[in-house]
């Protein structure tokens, strides 16, 4: 794993270019070869690894260089004399620390760790609020409250310095209301509050070359970005800065009404909230006449409840004044910001598909993947495969092997791959939306501007007995290729941005095995396409599940807020709505858009030990659908496959007219005989009662469903994540392959469908 990389975008149009960033650690040179990915599963029981080398001017030798990732979110400000000419000062903020005992963390500061100079408000190594002042000679005075902060609690904190009297004041006051934190009013003890006054003998060196930062301290600059330390975990609300030593009573008034000639800055993190969320999530506004606006780095979480949140409103767009907080994490990552190694020219006539820049140095290699799509309005085929990149992003660099109950959930020990081991040593490669930050809060953003080591061919995913997501979807790509189908590959972001216009050129659109993360625009596009007569093949399960949105200006970043479903983490009270759009997060079914409405089936159960098989239903012999089974002799279908040994497995979807399956939908086959590792999903439970697992619960099954839609369209749903792993069995000659081919050939043709 000494070579890793990423592209500047996942979806590239024919005739366009894609930039590739590479970290080559420990090798002087590396080789690049552009490849067309067909099949990434190296299982000896399957057809094996298949890639086609593509001629490209990009292919060849490159000089390798090490590129590092610097995770952790903070706010940076431009160089301004208002920061540089500080003599006396007051720094204050409302803070909600989540790891006060994790060592020094910067709140507001202009501190240079190299020269040990400047000024700032910190949480010190004892977890207490402290003012630091460092002069030109490297002398430092630190004045601390010496009372450790309590995590999960709001505090009014501040520090002042008067250059005339040389007096420093530092204080912390807990601000506990009925709803704003982890504890209730009776916890508001005097013991956690403190005010300390101390005389010192030095003055701050304000023009120290360091930028003013919030939530980190400056270490150095590598030419195109700051390298920072003292990374803060937790929320900050209403930070203020004065060029005089204010009294604490004045500072208390400044929480809501900062004013006067000594005002340097009064940042309002709620400014920028619109009815549709934050249009520019990286921008923070200074309300003072000085307009010292700042820029967030590594995307800390916006739309967080502030110190004054009283739980009467649950959405930040309804009460922006109660959502003045930003939550910073020392492991946030939105962009690795590496320099470009090379650019790939995508020829106009390069077949639409899944591609990679295969970079290799010695025994180390990486397949830096991207998707080549047709130009807008110029399809090359009647079939479109929708690559679920939002779902790949949601799982990007996930660390399932670290989940405490992983073995119980999987029904086996997770097998760790070299990629997982590398991530274990490289936390800075960033997290997935299945992980928790170091402070225990859930990860709601994921970015493709970093190497995603599990979005690779060859990678075996430990959530599955074999493959999952990206590499599992290559099973379908390979099968369509082997069967001679001509198809375009488009991404879900393309669908999100172009809508039904993109899909309507195609007779049939296919999903991947697990298109779980969907935006409203993506759902709209699929629904409109079906309404226009588009034919739709849902080739997996647990699809169309989480309300997901792309960053308003950066398609490489998604946001999701998890709760009320089968979730790796839960939002804190009042934080369910997405900062990118303002809309309510969690499950689409809670917003009246259950997956059954566009796929006929929706999530019912999951288990990750072994897969099972389907059995044909009586209804499948109906002459209106019997064509689907032409050439299929067996009634037991898919009792084989590369994903858990069967076509029905991992996650399963079920027919449910209450949730929107059309009444005329026909269940063609249902799976059975799932193990007790398979459990009914929590959103289907009213009370937790015995008998909810595979061996006892008849609802633990996948329903394969077919139904016609208006204007000559139809929907076919497999309802199982493992399904595509069975397509290649017995050299592609098997009942799953036959059945799928019957559907896809009919759906691709311009002919009317039987009904
Ligand atoms: Fe999932």
């Amino acid at each position: 794993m000494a070579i890793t990389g990423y592209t500047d975008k996942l979806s590239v149009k024919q005739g366009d270019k894609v930039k590739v960033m590479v970290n080559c650690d420990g090798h002087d040179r590396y080789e690049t070869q552009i490849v067309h990915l067909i099949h990434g599963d190296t299982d000896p029981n399957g057809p094996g690894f298949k890639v086609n080398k593509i001629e490209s001017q990009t292919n060849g030798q490159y000089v390798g260089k090490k590129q590092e990732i610097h995770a952790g979110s903070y706010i940076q400000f431009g160089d301004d004399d208002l920061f540089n000419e500080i003599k006396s000062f007051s720094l204050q903020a409302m803070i909600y620390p989540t790891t006060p005992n994790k060592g020094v963390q910067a709140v507001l500061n202009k501190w240079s760790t190299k020269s040990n100079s400047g000024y700032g408000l910190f949480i010190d190594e004892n977890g207490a609020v402290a003012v630091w002042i460092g002069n030109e000679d490297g002398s430092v005075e630190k004045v601390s409250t010496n009372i450790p902060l309590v995590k999960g609690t709001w505090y009014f904190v501040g520090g002042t310095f008067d250059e005339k009297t040389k007096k420093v004041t530092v204080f912390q006051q807990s601000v506990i209301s009925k709803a704003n934190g982890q504890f209730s009013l009776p916890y508001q003890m005097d013991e956690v509050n403190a005010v300390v006054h101390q005389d010192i003998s030095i003055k701050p060196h304000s023009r120290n070359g360091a930028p003013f930062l919030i939530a980190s301290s400056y270490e150095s600059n590598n030419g195109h970005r700051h390298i920072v330390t003292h990374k803060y975990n937790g929320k900050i609300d209403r930070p203020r800065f004065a060029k005089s030593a204010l009294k604490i009573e004045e500072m208390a008034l400044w929480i809501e009404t900062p004013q006067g000639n000594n005002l340097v800055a009064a940042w309002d993190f709620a400014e920028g909230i619109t009815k549709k969320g934050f249009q520019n999530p990286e921008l923070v506004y200074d309300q003072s006449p000085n307009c010292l606006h700042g820029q967030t780095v590594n995307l800390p979480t916006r739309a967080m409840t502030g110190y004054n949140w009283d739980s009467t409103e649950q959405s930040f767009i309804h009460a922006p004044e109660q959502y003045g907080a930003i939550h910073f994490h020392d492991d946030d990552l939105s962009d690795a910001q590496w320099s470009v190694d090379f650019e790939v020219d995508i020829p106009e006539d390069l077949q639409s598909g899944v591609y990679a820049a295969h970079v290799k140095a010695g025994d180390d290699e990486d397949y830096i993947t991207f998707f080549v799509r047709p130009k807008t309005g110029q399809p090359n085929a009647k079939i479109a495969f929708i690559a679920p990149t939002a779902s790949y992003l949601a799982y990007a660099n996930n660390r399932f092997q670290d989940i405490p109950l992983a073995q119980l959930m999987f029904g086996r020990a997770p097998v760790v791959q070299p990629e997982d081991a590398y991530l274990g040593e490289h936390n800075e490669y960033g997290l997935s939306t299945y992980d928790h930050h170091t402070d225990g809060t859930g990860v709601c953003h994921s970015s493709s501007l970093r190497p995603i080591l599990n979005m690779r061919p060859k990678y075996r995913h430990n959530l599955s007995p074999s493959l999952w997501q990206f590499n599992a979807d290559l099973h379908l790509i390979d099968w369509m290729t082997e069967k001679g189908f001509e198809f375009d590959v488009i991404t879900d972001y393309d669908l999100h941005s172009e809508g039904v216009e993109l899909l309507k050129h195609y007779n049939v659109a296919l999903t991947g095995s697990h298109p779980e993360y969907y935006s409203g625009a993506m759902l709209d596009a699929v629904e409109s396409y079906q309404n226009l007569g588009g034919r739709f093949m849902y080739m997996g399960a647990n699809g169309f599940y989480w309300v997901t949105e792309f960053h308003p200006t950066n398609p490489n970043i998604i946001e999701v807020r998890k709760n009320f479903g089968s979730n790796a983490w839960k939002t804190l009270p009042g934080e369910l709505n997405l900062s990118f759009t303002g809309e309510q997060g969690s499950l689409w079914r809670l917003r009246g858009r259950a997956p059954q409405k566009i796929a006929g089936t929706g999530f019912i159960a999951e288990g990750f030990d072994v897969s099972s098989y389907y059995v044909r239903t009586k209804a499948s012999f109906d002459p209106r659908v019997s064509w689907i089974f032409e050439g299929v002799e067996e009634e037991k279908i898919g009792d084989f496959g590369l994903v858990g040994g069967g076509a029905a497995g991992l996650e399963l979807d079920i027919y449910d007219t209450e949730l929107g399956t059309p009444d005329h939908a026909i269940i063609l086959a249902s799976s059975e005989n799932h193990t007790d590792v398979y459990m009914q999903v929590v959103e289907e439970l009213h009370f937790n009662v015995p008998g909810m697992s595979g061996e006892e619960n008849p609802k633990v099954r996948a329903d394969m469903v077919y139904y016609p839609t208006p204007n000559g369209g139809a929907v076919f749903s497999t309802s199982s994540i493992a399904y595509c792993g069975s397509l290649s069995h017995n050299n592609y000659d098997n009942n799953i392959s036959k059945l799928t081919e019957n559907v896809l050939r009919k759906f691709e043709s311009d002919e009317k469908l039987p009904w």
Side-chain angles (χ1 to χ4, degrees):
M1 293 308 304
I3 189 162
T4 55
Y6 65 95
T7 57
D8 66 333
K9 54 188 171 230
L10 291 179
S11 177
V12 192
K13 285 181 184 163
Q14 289 168 329
D16 201 355
K17 296 169 192 288
V18 59
K19 294 187 173 98
V20 183
M21 282 59 77
V22 178
N23 156 50
C24 184
D25 183 5
H27 300 278
D28 295 336
R29 304 182 77 78
Y30 67 90
E31 185 88 27
T32 295
Q33 168 71 53
I34 305 302
V35 291
H36 186 190
L37 302 177
I38 307 296
H39 192 257
D41 191 345
T42 53
D43 189 332
N45 297 312
F49 190 66
K50 297 181 203 171
V51 300
N52 298 325
K53 291 182 177 177
I54 300 297
E55 274 189 33
S56 168
Q57 290 186 336
T58 311
N59 297 338
Q61 288 268 330
Y62 289 83
V63 175
K65 61 178 184 291
K66 185 177 177 180
Q67 305 213 61
E68 291 179 333
I69 297 180
H70 301 279
S73 58
Y74 59 96
I75 304 174
Q76 62 184 13
F77 298 89
D79 188 38
D80 194 296
D81 276 345
L82 285 162
F83 297 130
N84 294 330
E85 287 167 2
I86 285 300
K87 294 187 174 100
S88 300
F89 65 83
S90 300
L91 293 166
Q92 70 177 80
M94 311 306 287
I95 67 168
Y96 179 94
T98 47
T99 59
N101 299 317
K102 208 184 170 184
V104 174
Q105 294 162 61
V107 182
L108 304 164
N109 71 124
K110 189 175 191 300
W111 190 260
S112 166
T113 56
K114 274 226 175 92
S115 62
N116 250 339
S117 69
Y119 56 89
L121 186 65
F122 294 84
I123 297 173
D124 67 15
E125 59 282 359
N126 299 318
V129 175
V131 168
W132 290 10
I133 289 175
N135 72 4
E136 247 170 312
D137 309 329
S139 299
V140 178
E141 295 264 15
K142 298 179 178 179
V143 182
S144 171
T145 61
N146 287 317
I147 305 279
L149 296 162
V150 177
K151 88 173 180 71
T153 300
W154 279 104
Y155 285 87
F156 171 39
V157 300
T160 67
F161 171 70
D162 188 323
E163 66 149 345
K164 290 209 179 87
T165 61
K166 297 267 177 61
K167 182 181 265 191
V168 169
T169 298
V170 59
F171 67 90
Q172 62 191 53
Q173 287 175 12
S174 60
V175 182
I176 300 177
S177 74
K178 289 169 188 165
N180 75 352
Q182 215 166 313
F183 304 104
S184 62
L185 282 172
Y187 203 89
Q188 186 143 316
M189 299 175 294
D190 282 342
E191 287 81 353
V192 301
N193 301 329
V195 183
V196 171
H197 304 284
Q198 195 176 308
D199 294 334
I200 64 168
S201 56
I202 59 171
K203 291 180 184 179
H205 178 38
S206 301
R207 201 176 284 278
N208 60 353
F212 190 87
L213 300 179
I214 295 179
S216 282
S217 295
Y218 177 78
E219 206 169 75
S220 60
N221 188 295
N222 69 5
H224 65 281
R225 62 164 300 156
H226 298 321
I227 311 299
V228 301
T229 184
H230 298 154
K231 298 169 187 177
Y232 170 75
N233 281 311
K235 299 191 212 183
I236 298 179
D237 187 359
R238 289 167 169 80
R240 277 92 176 82
F241 186 5
K243 55 186 176 189
S244 66
L246 302 176
K247 293 198 179 84
I248 295 177
E249 304 81 68
E250 286 176 283
M251 293 167 85
L253 286 175
W254 274 33
I255 296 170
E256 290 302 327
T257 41
Q259 57 191 321
N261 293 336
N262 290 318
L263 181 60
V264 175
W267 292 286
D268 177 6
F269 299 157
E271 193 173 338
I273 291 175
T274 72
K275 289 269 185 242
K276 296 198 164 169
F278 284 92
Q279 302 306 298
N280 190 340
E282 275 93 358
L283 188 59
V284 301
Y285 292 93
D286 171 22
Q287 287 176 313
S288 86
N290 300 323
C291 295
L292 294 170
H293 308 315
Q295 199 76 24
T296 67
V297 178
N298 278 331
L299 208 62
T301 313
R302 308 295 296 261
M304 295 278 102
T305 57
Y307 84 97
N308 56 347
W309 184 72
D310 64 11
S311 107
T312 53
E313 288 290 355
Q314 301 298 309
S315 163
F316 69 100
I317 62 172
H318 296 153
E321 71 285 357
Q322 293 187 33
Y323 286 84
I326 293 181
H327 195 132
F328 301 87
H329 304 96
D330 60 10
D331 53 2
D332 275 326
L333 176 66
S334 65
D335 188 344
Q337 294 189 39
W338 289 353
S339 61
V340 178
D341 276 57
F342 53 85
E343 197 164 25
V344 189
D345 270 313
I346 305 299
E348 305 251 348
D349 61 352
L350 185 69
Q351 189 186 335
S352 172
V354 187
Y355 287 82
H358 180 214
V359 291
K360 199 167 187 320
D363 289 338
D364 296 313
E365 64 173 358
D366 194 14
Y367 287 87
I368 306 167
T369 50
F370 55 93
F371 303 87
V372 174
R373 57 159 288 188
K375 288 183 175 176
T376 303
Q378 297 179 31
N380 309 306
K382 292 185 171 179
I383 300 172
F385 170 72
I386 309 166
T389 63
S391 298
Y392 301 156
L393 276 185
Y395 280 95
N397 293 347
N398 69 258
R399 288 145 161 96
F400 286 122
Q401 62 278 8
D402 297 337
I403 300 174
L405 297 177
Q407 297 201 22
L408 259 186
M409 188 178 180
F410 302 173
R412 58 189 159 75
V415 179
V416 174
Q417 302 293 308
E419 291 85 350
D420 304 321
Y422 187 84
L423 289 174
E425 293 165 2
H426 291 273
N427 254 341
E428 74 278 9
Y429 271 58
L431 300 166
S432 77
T433 70
Y434 288 81
D435 298 308
H436 294 83
H437 290 290
T438 56
D439 71 357
T441 52
V443 177
C444 67
H445 296 130
S446 179
S447 167
S448 60
L449 298 175
R450 57 170 167 155
I452 299 178
L453 304 184
N454 59 6
M455 193 175 70
R456 299 290 187 251
K458 296 186 182 173
Y459 179 74
R460 296 176 73 80
H461 198 293
N462 56 40
L463 180 60
S464 161
S466 61
L467 306 191
W468 184 262
Q469 286 287 40
F470 174 81
N471 204 13
D473 288 346
L474 290 178
H475 284 143
L476 178 58
I477 297 286
D478 169 58
W479 176 81
M480 288 196 288
T481 306
E482 286 292 328
K483 286 287 173 184
F485 287 106
E486 288 182 9
F487 59 94
D488 283 343
V489 171
I490 56 176
T491 70
D492 50 0
Y493 178 74
D494 302 326
L495 193 60
H496 172 85
S497 57
E498 293 176 28
V500 69
E501 283 300 314
L502 175 66
L503 278 188
K504 73 179 194 189
H505 300 287
Y506 298 100
N507 281 5
V508 50
L510 295 97
T511 72
S513 59
H514 190 23
E516 179 178 1
Y517 292 79
Y518 252 61
S519 71
M522 281 152 60
L523 284 182
D524 292 348
V526 168
E527 204 166 332
S528 302
Y529 172 67
Q530 291 178 352
N531 214 25
L532 289 173
R535 296 160 181 175
F536 194 69
M537 293 175 74
Y538 173 35
M539 299 303 289
N542 185 210
F544 324 107
Y545 188 70
W546 290 112
V547 175
T548 308
E549 279 298 338
F550 290 92
H551 185 287
T553 56
N554 188 341
N556 292 298
I557 299 172
I558 59 160
E559 181 178 20
V560 61
R561 301 280 175 115
K562 297 195 175 186
N563 213 330
F564 309 115
S566 296
N567 32 237
W569 54 271
K570 292 177 189 296
T571 52
L572 292 175
E575 296 178 351
L576 194 60
N577 287 49
L578 275 59
S579 67
F580 291 168
T581 57
E583 69 189 296
Q584 182 185 305
S586 182
L587 305 188
W588 277 115
R589 71 181 266 175
L590 301 181
R591 290 179 51 192
R593 303 190 78 173
Q596 279 86 348
K597 288 185 170 178
I598 61 166
T601 61
F603 196 23
I604 187 67
E606 62 183 15
F608 303 98
D609 55 345
V610 291
S611 303
S612 191
Y613 54 85
Y614 300 86
V615 176
R616 273 188 77 168
T617 59
K618 278 207 183 96
S620 73
F621 292 89
D622 185 317
R624 295 176 299 169
V625 293
S626 56
W627 58 272
I628 295 171
F629 291 89
E630 263 168 40
V632 174
E633 307 295 328
E634 307 85 359
E635 295 199 10
K636 191 185 207 181
I637 301 161
D639 50 342
F640 47 78
L642 297 173
V643 180
L650 307 196
E651 296 187 351
L652 313 174
D653 284 10
I654 198 172
Y655 168 109
D656 190 341
T657 53
E658 291 297 316
L659 289 174
T661 307
D663 275 330
H664 64 286
I666 290 179
I667 300 178
L668 304 170
S670 289
S671 70
E672 62 176 33
N673 207 18
H674 292 288
T675 68
D676 271 343
V677 174
Y678 283 73
M679 302 290 290
Q680 189 165 322
V681 293
V682 293
E683 62 271 22
E684 286 277 327
L685 299 176
H686 296 270
F687 290 99
N688 220 341
V689 292
M692 285 296 116
S693 56
E695 288 180 26
E696 295 174 293
N697 183 352
K699 286 184 82 175
V700 175
R701 64 169 202 268
D703 287 335
M704 188 189 296
V705 157
Y706 178 87
Y707 57 96
T709 49
N711 300 308
V715 170
F716 168 80
S717 294
T718 68
S719 303
S720 157
I721 284 183
Y723 186 93
C724 293
S726 302
L727 290 165
S728 66
H729 178 73
N730 191 33
N731 199 24
Y732 306 90
D733 183 11
N734 65 73
N735 48 38
I736 288 288
S737 172
K738 185 70 196 143
L739 185 157
T740 313
E741 186 175 353
N742 289 343
V743 176
L744 186 53
R745 294 244 178 256
K746 275 269 196 307
F747 276 21
E748 180 193 21
S749 78
D750 296 327
E751 285 166 38
K752 200 166 169 280
L753 298 170
W755 186 254

